[in-house]
Amino acid sequence: MTDYPGQAAPRDFWALTCDPLRECGDGEVVAAIDTVSIDPGMSGWITNKRSYMPPVKPGGVMRAFGVGELVESKSDKFAVGDWVTGLTGVQTHGVFREGHLRKIDASLAPPQKFLSGLGMTGFTGFFGMSDIGQPKQGETVVVSAASGAVGSIAAQIAKAAGARVIGIAGGPDKCAYLQGELGLDHAIDYKNCNVGEALAQACPDEIDLYFDNVGGETLEAVLGLMKYQGRIVVCGAISQYDDFAGAQGPANFMSVVTHSLSLRGFTMADYMHRVPEALDWLVPAWKEGRLKMREHVVEGIEHFPDAFDMIFRGENHGKLLLKVNG
Ligand code: NDP
């Protein structure tokens, strides 16, 4: 890490280095990191724009959520062999304070699931939809980036609540997955149609609830179709992440006033204290086959720059992960 380019980070912005591990002190552990999560939000961690976390220090280890196994422990809370998750960074090994990591039960599911539907993105879809969106039987719910890590969980939660769910995703394969695998009522391939027209056709009774992952033109199209007193959960705006400074709001923002809409943003940090509640729902739902979660795994830490680019081109299908220790 040398400077702050955000999503536009060129290849030579990243460096793969081999550095000695510092010694493990009292209350610390050493983890062999297995897999790290590649998230759209990483672009916000390498900009100087005001955000919910400070940027990564130039020259530092790129921040990332990861899972790994402990190979040394000087902590009463952890033993060698424990599987853990937390902000491990994009590295194969690391020394961490015990409070920095959370133990995971690797007997419940393969560790990579704890970065996917049973991890931060799953929790985001779960709380964003169930706690903020509160979908109801018979409502029309629209989810953008619906085949992705957060969107797929959010969409399935709305479906489980009895809503009619329309997913928006890029390309025929992702749309087939939304209807075939996830059982959504309708899918819109925004890359191959006029999204406003397609939404108007798919939502003849207008939209009660929109779970927004992308912002931009899709948000504008949805705003024009929201029901009086409709709700919008603002989870992300990936279409705007390449130009934080130049991002434009929707031209029809006044719909919020004219239709008495509620918009509520959030970050998962607001819900960290409620993670056990999410797991209580997500784990059995996944084990019983009521909840689908899919991962897209790239192998090799040296491929981090490619994986980082992939997510902004929509080349991932499922939670994008990077296996760093083979
Ligand atoms: P995904 O697994 O959904 O991957 C990102 C997807 O976004 C891509 O595959 C692509 O799918 C779509 N996409 C990329 N560029 C664009 C674009 N310009 N316009 C429309 N769609 C685009 O990622 P996540 O599930 O991890 O993240 C989804 C959203 O949730 C992001 O906005 C992210 O920042 C946000 N988020 C928010 C959190 C919070 O705490 N509030 C926590 C985690 C994530 P397609 O092929 O369909 O275009």
Side-chain angles (χ1 to χ4, degrees), residues 129-179:
M129 184 55 88
S130 60
D131 201 65
I132 301 179
Q134 300 190 13
K136 295 174 189 62
Q137 176 86 29
E139 283 191 331
T140 297
V141 176
V142 174
V143 179
S144 53
S147 79
V150 173
S152 62
I153 302 295
Q156 291 178 86
I157 303 257
K159 196 69 203 133
R164 181 170 173 270
V165 183
I166 291 106
I168 305 176
D173 288 352
K174 290 186 178 181
C175 285
Y177 174 73
L178 292 181
Q179 290 193 267

Short mmCIF file of all heavy atoms in Angstrom, two decimals, residues 129-179:
data_model
loop_
_atom_site.label_atom_id
_atom_site.label_comp_id
_atom_site.label_asym_id
_atom_site.label_seq_id
_atom_site.Cartn_x
_atom_site.Cartn_y
_atom_site.Cartn_z
N MET A 129 -32.12 -6.87 6.12
CA MET A 129 -33.47 -7.19 5.65
C MET A 129 -34.43 -7.41 6.82
O MET A 129 -35.50 -6.81 6.87
CB MET A 129 -33.41 -8.44 4.75
CG MET A 129 -34.75 -8.80 4.12
SD MET A 129 -35.53 -7.44 3.17
CE MET A 129 -34.81 -7.67 1.53
N SER A 130 -34.04 -8.27 7.79
CA SER A 130 -35.04 -8.63 8.80
C SER A 130 -35.26 -7.52 9.82
O SER A 130 -36.39 -7.25 10.22
CB SER A 130 -34.65 -9.93 9.51
OG SER A 130 -33.41 -9.78 10.16
N ASP A 131 -34.20 -6.84 10.23
CA ASP A 131 -34.33 -5.84 11.29
C ASP A 131 -34.70 -4.46 10.75
O ASP A 131 -35.53 -3.77 11.33
CB ASP A 131 -33.01 -5.75 12.06
CG ASP A 131 -33.21 -5.16 13.44
OD1 ASP A 131 -33.89 -5.80 14.24
OD2 ASP A 131 -32.71 -4.05 13.69
N ILE A 132 -34.08 -4.08 9.64
CA ILE A 132 -34.37 -2.74 9.10
C ILE A 132 -35.51 -2.80 8.08
O ILE A 132 -36.48 -2.06 8.18
CB ILE A 132 -33.10 -2.10 8.48
CG1 ILE A 132 -31.99 -2.01 9.54
CG2 ILE A 132 -33.42 -0.72 7.91
CD1 ILE A 132 -30.69 -1.43 9.06
N GLY A 133 -35.40 -3.70 7.12
CA GLY A 133 -36.42 -3.77 6.07
C GLY A 133 -37.76 -4.29 6.55
O GLY A 133 -38.81 -3.79 6.16
N GLN A 134 -37.72 -5.30 7.42
CA GLN A 134 -38.93 -5.91 7.97
C GLN A 134 -39.97 -6.24 6.89
O GLN A 134 -41.08 -5.68 6.88
CB GLN A 134 -39.54 -5.02 9.05
CG GLN A 134 -38.58 -4.78 10.19
CD GLN A 134 -39.22 -4.10 11.39
OE1 GLN A 134 -40.42 -3.97 11.50
NE2 GLN A 134 -38.38 -3.65 12.31
N PRO A 135 -39.61 -7.14 5.97
CA PRO A 135 -40.55 -7.51 4.91
C PRO A 135 -41.77 -8.24 5.46
O PRO A 135 -41.65 -8.95 6.47
CB PRO A 135 -39.73 -8.46 4.03
CG PRO A 135 -38.71 -9.04 4.95
CD PRO A 135 -38.39 -7.96 5.96
N LYS A 136 -42.90 -8.05 4.80
CA LYS A 136 -44.13 -8.69 5.28
C LYS A 136 -44.75 -9.52 4.17
O LYS A 136 -44.51 -9.26 2.99
CB LYS A 136 -45.12 -7.63 5.76
CG LYS A 136 -44.58 -6.90 6.95
CD LYS A 136 -45.40 -5.75 7.43
CE LYS A 136 -44.64 -4.97 8.49
NZ LYS A 136 -43.38 -4.38 7.99
N GLN A 137 -45.53 -10.48 4.59
CA GLN A 137 -46.29 -11.35 3.69
C GLN A 137 -46.97 -10.52 2.60
O GLN A 137 -47.64 -9.53 2.91
CB GLN A 137 -47.34 -12.07 4.54
CG GLN A 137 -48.30 -12.96 3.80
CD GLN A 137 -47.71 -14.36 3.64
OE1 GLN A 137 -46.92 -14.80 4.46
NE2 GLN A 137 -48.08 -15.02 2.56
N GLY A 138 -46.74 -10.89 1.35
CA GLY A 138 -47.45 -10.26 0.23
C GLY A 138 -46.84 -8.96 -0.26
O GLY A 138 -47.27 -8.43 -1.29
N GLU A 139 -45.85 -8.43 0.44
CA GLU A 139 -45.23 -7.18 -0.03
C GLU A 139 -44.35 -7.45 -1.27
O GLU A 139 -43.86 -8.56 -1.46
CB GLU A 139 -44.36 -6.57 1.07
CG GLU A 139 -45.16 -5.86 2.15
CD GLU A 139 -44.30 -5.05 3.10
OE1 GLU A 139 -43.11 -5.40 3.32
OE2 GLU A 139 -44.81 -4.05 3.63
N THR A 140 -44.15 -6.39 -2.05
CA THR A 140 -43.23 -6.47 -3.18
C THR A 140 -41.88 -5.92 -2.73
O THR A 140 -41.77 -4.76 -2.31
CB THR A 140 -43.76 -5.66 -4.38
OG1 THR A 140 -45.00 -6.24 -4.79
CG2 THR A 140 -42.78 -5.68 -5.53
N VAL A 141 -40.86 -6.79 -2.80
CA VAL A 141 -39.51 -6.43 -2.33
C VAL A 141 -38.55 -6.55 -3.51
O VAL A 141 -38.56 -7.55 -4.23
CB VAL A 141 -39.07 -7.38 -1.19
CG1 VAL A 141 -37.64 -7.07 -0.76
CG2 VAL A 141 -40.02 -7.27 0.00
N VAL A 142 -37.71 -5.53 -3.69
CA VAL A 142 -36.69 -5.56 -4.74
C VAL A 142 -35.32 -5.54 -4.08
O VAL A 142 -35.09 -4.79 -3.12
CB VAL A 142 -36.86 -4.35 -5.70
CG1 VAL A 142 -35.71 -4.30 -6.70
CG2 VAL A 142 -38.20 -4.43 -6.43
N VAL A 143 -34.42 -6.38 -4.60
CA VAL A 143 -33.04 -6.44 -4.06
C VAL A 143 -32.09 -6.29 -5.24
O VAL A 143 -32.22 -7.00 -6.24
CB VAL A 143 -32.78 -7.80 -3.37
CG1 VAL A 143 -31.34 -7.88 -2.85
CG2 VAL A 143 -33.78 -8.04 -2.23
N SER A 144 -31.13 -5.37 -5.14
CA SER A 144 -30.12 -5.24 -6.21
C SER A 144 -28.86 -6.00 -5.80
O SER A 144 -28.68 -6.34 -4.63
CB SER A 144 -29.83 -3.77 -6.51
OG SER A 144 -29.49 -3.07 -5.33
N ALA A 145 -27.99 -6.26 -6.79
CA ALA A 145 -26.83 -7.17 -6.59
C ALA A 145 -27.32 -8.42 -5.86
O ALA A 145 -26.70 -8.92 -4.92
CB ALA A 145 -25.68 -6.49 -5.85
N ALA A 146 -28.46 -8.95 -6.35
CA ALA A 146 -29.19 -9.98 -5.61
C ALA A 146 -28.52 -11.34 -5.63
O ALA A 146 -28.84 -12.19 -4.80
CB ALA A 146 -30.61 -10.10 -6.17
N SER A 147 -27.62 -11.58 -6.57
CA SER A 147 -26.98 -12.90 -6.57
C SER A 147 -25.68 -12.87 -5.76
O SER A 147 -25.02 -13.90 -5.61
CB SER A 147 -26.67 -13.36 -8.00
OG SER A 147 -25.50 -12.72 -8.47
N GLY A 148 -25.33 -11.71 -5.22
CA GLY A 148 -24.07 -11.58 -4.49
C GLY A 148 -24.18 -12.02 -3.04
O GLY A 148 -25.21 -12.56 -2.61
N ALA A 149 -23.12 -11.77 -2.31
CA ALA A 149 -23.00 -12.28 -0.95
C ALA A 149 -24.09 -11.73 -0.03
O ALA A 149 -24.80 -12.49 0.63
CB ALA A 149 -21.62 -11.93 -0.42
N VAL A 150 -24.24 -10.43 0.00
CA VAL A 150 -25.23 -9.80 0.87
C VAL A 150 -26.63 -9.95 0.26
O VAL A 150 -27.58 -10.36 0.92
CB VAL A 150 -24.92 -8.30 1.07
CG1 VAL A 150 -26.05 -7.60 1.82
CG2 VAL A 150 -23.59 -8.11 1.79
N GLY A 151 -26.73 -9.61 -1.03
CA GLY A 151 -28.03 -9.58 -1.69
C GLY A 151 -28.73 -10.93 -1.67
O GLY A 151 -29.96 -10.99 -1.48
N SER A 152 -27.99 -12.01 -1.87
CA SER A 152 -28.63 -13.33 -1.94
C SER A 152 -29.24 -13.70 -0.59
O SER A 152 -30.30 -14.31 -0.52
CB SER A 152 -27.64 -14.40 -2.39
OG SER A 152 -26.58 -14.52 -1.47
N ILE A 153 -28.58 -13.32 0.49
CA ILE A 153 -29.12 -13.63 1.83
C ILE A 153 -30.34 -12.73 2.08
O ILE A 153 -31.40 -13.20 2.51
CB ILE A 153 -28.05 -13.43 2.93
CG1 ILE A 153 -26.82 -14.31 2.66
CG2 ILE A 153 -28.64 -13.69 4.31
CD1 ILE A 153 -27.05 -15.79 2.72
N ALA A 154 -30.19 -11.44 1.78
CA ALA A 154 -31.31 -10.50 1.99
C ALA A 154 -32.55 -10.96 1.22
O ALA A 154 -33.67 -10.96 1.75
CB ALA A 154 -30.89 -9.09 1.57
N ALA A 155 -32.34 -11.36 -0.04
CA ALA A 155 -33.47 -11.77 -0.88
C ALA A 155 -34.16 -13.01 -0.31
O ALA A 155 -35.39 -13.10 -0.29
CB ALA A 155 -32.98 -12.04 -2.30
N GLN A 156 -33.36 -13.96 0.18
CA GLN A 156 -33.96 -15.20 0.70
C GLN A 156 -34.70 -14.95 2.03
O GLN A 156 -35.69 -15.61 2.33
CB GLN A 156 -32.88 -16.26 0.90
CG GLN A 156 -32.31 -16.76 -0.44
CD GLN A 156 -31.20 -17.78 -0.22
OE1 GLN A 156 -31.44 -18.96 -0.08
NE2 GLN A 156 -29.96 -17.31 -0.20
N ILE A 157 -34.21 -13.97 2.80
CA ILE A 157 -34.91 -13.64 4.05
C ILE A 157 -36.28 -13.04 3.73
O ILE A 157 -37.29 -13.36 4.37
CB ILE A 157 -34.08 -12.62 4.88
CG1 ILE A 157 -32.69 -13.17 5.15
CG2 ILE A 157 -34.82 -12.15 6.12
CD1 ILE A 157 -32.41 -13.71 6.49
N ALA A 158 -36.31 -12.18 2.70
CA ALA A 158 -37.59 -11.57 2.31
C ALA A 158 -38.55 -12.64 1.79
O ALA A 158 -39.75 -12.62 2.07
CB ALA A 158 -37.36 -10.50 1.25
N LYS A 159 -38.00 -13.57 1.04
CA LYS A 159 -38.83 -14.67 0.50
C LYS A 159 -39.38 -15.51 1.66
O LYS A 159 -40.56 -15.86 1.66
CB LYS A 159 -37.93 -15.50 -0.42
CG LYS A 159 -38.63 -16.42 -1.37
CD LYS A 159 -39.39 -15.72 -2.48
CE LYS A 159 -40.47 -16.66 -3.01
NZ LYS A 159 -41.77 -16.11 -3.17
N ALA A 160 -38.53 -15.78 2.65
CA ALA A 160 -38.98 -16.59 3.79
C ALA A 160 -40.07 -15.88 4.58
O ALA A 160 -40.89 -16.53 5.23
CB ALA A 160 -37.78 -16.90 4.71
N ALA A 161 -40.10 -14.54 4.50
CA ALA A 161 -41.13 -13.77 5.20
C ALA A 161 -42.43 -13.73 4.41
O ALA A 161 -43.41 -13.12 4.84
CB ALA A 161 -40.63 -12.35 5.47
N GLY A 162 -42.45 -14.32 3.21
CA GLY A 162 -43.69 -14.39 2.43
C GLY A 162 -43.85 -13.24 1.45
O GLY A 162 -44.93 -13.04 0.90
N ALA A 163 -42.76 -12.49 1.21
CA ALA A 163 -42.86 -11.38 0.25
C ALA A 163 -42.72 -11.90 -1.18
O ALA A 163 -42.24 -13.02 -1.41
CB ALA A 163 -41.77 -10.36 0.54
N ARG A 164 -43.14 -11.07 -2.12
CA ARG A 164 -42.87 -11.35 -3.54
C ARG A 164 -41.55 -10.64 -3.84
O ARG A 164 -41.46 -9.42 -3.68
CB ARG A 164 -44.02 -10.77 -4.38
CG ARG A 164 -43.86 -11.01 -5.84
CD ARG A 164 -45.13 -10.65 -6.63
NE ARG A 164 -44.79 -10.78 -8.04
CZ ARG A 164 -44.30 -9.77 -8.76
NH1 ARG A 164 -44.18 -8.57 -8.25
NH2 ARG A 164 -43.96 -9.98 -10.02
N VAL A 165 -40.54 -11.42 -4.25
CA VAL A 165 -39.18 -10.84 -4.31
C VAL A 165 -38.66 -10.80 -5.74
O VAL A 165 -38.66 -11.82 -6.45
CB VAL A 165 -38.20 -11.65 -3.41
CG1 VAL A 165 -36.83 -10.99 -3.41
CG2 VAL A 165 -38.74 -11.74 -1.99
N ILE A 166 -38.20 -9.62 -6.12
CA ILE A 166 -37.61 -9.41 -7.45
C ILE A 166 -36.13 -9.11 -7.25
O ILE A 166 -35.77 -8.18 -6.51
CB ILE A 166 -38.30 -8.23 -8.18
CG1 ILE A 166 -39.73 -8.65 -8.54
CG2 ILE A 166 -37.57 -7.84 -9.46
CD1 ILE A 166 -40.77 -8.01 -7.71
N GLY A 167 -35.28 -9.91 -7.88
CA GLY A 167 -33.84 -9.69 -7.77
C GLY A 167 -33.30 -9.05 -9.03
O GLY A 167 -33.74 -9.38 -10.14
N ILE A 168 -32.34 -8.14 -8.86
CA ILE A 168 -31.67 -7.52 -10.01
C ILE A 168 -30.22 -8.00 -10.00
O ILE A 168 -29.55 -7.97 -8.95
CB ILE A 168 -31.70 -5.98 -9.91
CG1 ILE A 168 -33.14 -5.49 -9.75
CG2 ILE A 168 -31.04 -5.34 -11.13
CD1 ILE A 168 -33.26 -3.97 -9.56
N ALA A 169 -29.74 -8.49 -11.15
CA ALA A 169 -28.36 -8.96 -11.24
C ALA A 169 -27.87 -8.83 -12.67
O ALA A 169 -28.68 -8.63 -13.60
CB ALA A 169 -28.26 -10.41 -10.78
N GLY A 170 -26.57 -8.93 -12.86
CA GLY A 170 -25.97 -8.76 -14.18
C GLY A 170 -25.75 -10.08 -14.89
O GLY A 170 -24.94 -10.90 -14.46
N GLY A 171 -26.49 -10.31 -15.97
CA GLY A 171 -26.25 -11.48 -16.82
C GLY A 171 -27.26 -12.60 -16.62
O GLY A 171 -27.84 -12.74 -15.55
N PRO A 172 -27.45 -13.41 -17.70
CA PRO A 172 -28.46 -14.48 -17.66
C PRO A 172 -28.15 -15.57 -16.63
O PRO A 172 -29.06 -16.11 -16.01
CB PRO A 172 -28.45 -15.05 -19.09
CG PRO A 172 -27.29 -14.44 -19.78
CD PRO A 172 -26.85 -13.24 -19.03
N ASP A 173 -26.87 -15.90 -16.40
CA ASP A 173 -26.55 -16.97 -15.45
C ASP A 173 -26.97 -16.58 -14.04
O ASP A 173 -27.55 -17.37 -13.29
CB ASP A 173 -25.04 -17.26 -15.44
CG ASP A 173 -24.62 -17.96 -16.71
OD1 ASP A 173 -25.52 -18.34 -17.49
OD2 ASP A 173 -23.40 -18.10 -16.93
N LYS A 174 -26.65 -15.35 -13.67
CA LYS A 174 -27.00 -14.89 -12.32
C LYS A 174 -28.52 -14.84 -12.17
O LYS A 174 -29.07 -15.18 -11.12
CB LYS A 174 -26.35 -13.53 -12.03
CG LYS A 174 -24.84 -13.62 -11.86
CD LYS A 174 -24.22 -12.30 -11.42
CE LYS A 174 -22.71 -12.44 -11.23
NZ LYS A 174 -22.08 -11.19 -10.78
N CYS A 175 -29.21 -14.41 -13.25
CA CYS A 175 -30.67 -14.32 -13.15
C CYS A 175 -31.29 -15.72 -13.06
O CYS A 175 -32.26 -15.92 -12.32
CB CYS A 175 -31.23 -13.53 -14.34
SG CYS A 175 -30.90 -11.77 -14.13
N ALA A 176 -30.72 -16.67 -13.79
CA ALA A 176 -31.23 -18.06 -13.71
C ALA A 176 -31.03 -18.59 -12.29
O ALA A 176 -31.89 -19.29 -11.75
CB ALA A 176 -30.50 -18.93 -14.72
N TYR A 177 -29.91 -18.25 -11.69
CA TYR A 177 -29.63 -18.68 -10.31
C TYR A 177 -30.67 -18.09 -9.35
O TYR A 177 -31.18 -18.78 -8.46
CB TYR A 177 -28.22 -18.22 -9.94
CG TYR A 177 -27.82 -18.44 -8.50
CD1 TYR A 177 -27.53 -19.71 -8.02
CD2 TYR A 177 -27.70 -17.36 -7.62
CE1 TYR A 177 -27.15 -19.92 -6.70
CE2 TYR A 177 -27.32 -17.55 -6.30
CZ TYR A 177 -27.05 -18.83 -5.85
OH TYR A 177 -26.68 -19.02 -4.53
N LEU A 178 -31.01 -16.83 -9.55
CA LEU A 178 -31.97 -16.16 -8.65
C LEU A 178 -33.32 -16.86 -8.66
O LEU A 178 -33.92 -17.09 -7.61
CB LEU A 178 -32.16 -14.69 -9.04
CG LEU A 178 -30.97 -13.77 -8.82
CD1 LEU A 178 -31.31 -12.34 -9.24
CD2 LEU A 178 -30.52 -13.80 -7.37
N GLN A 179 -33.78 -17.23 -9.85
CA GLN A 179 -35.11 -17.87 -9.92
C GLN A 179 -35.02 -19.37 -9.68
O GLN A 179 -35.82 -19.93 -8.94
CB GLN A 179 -35.75 -17.58 -11.28
CG GLN A 179 -36.15 -16.12 -11.41
CD GLN A 179 -37.06 -15.86 -12.59
OE1 GLN A 179 -36.61 -15.53 -13.68
NE2 GLN A 179 -38.36 -16.05 -12.40
#
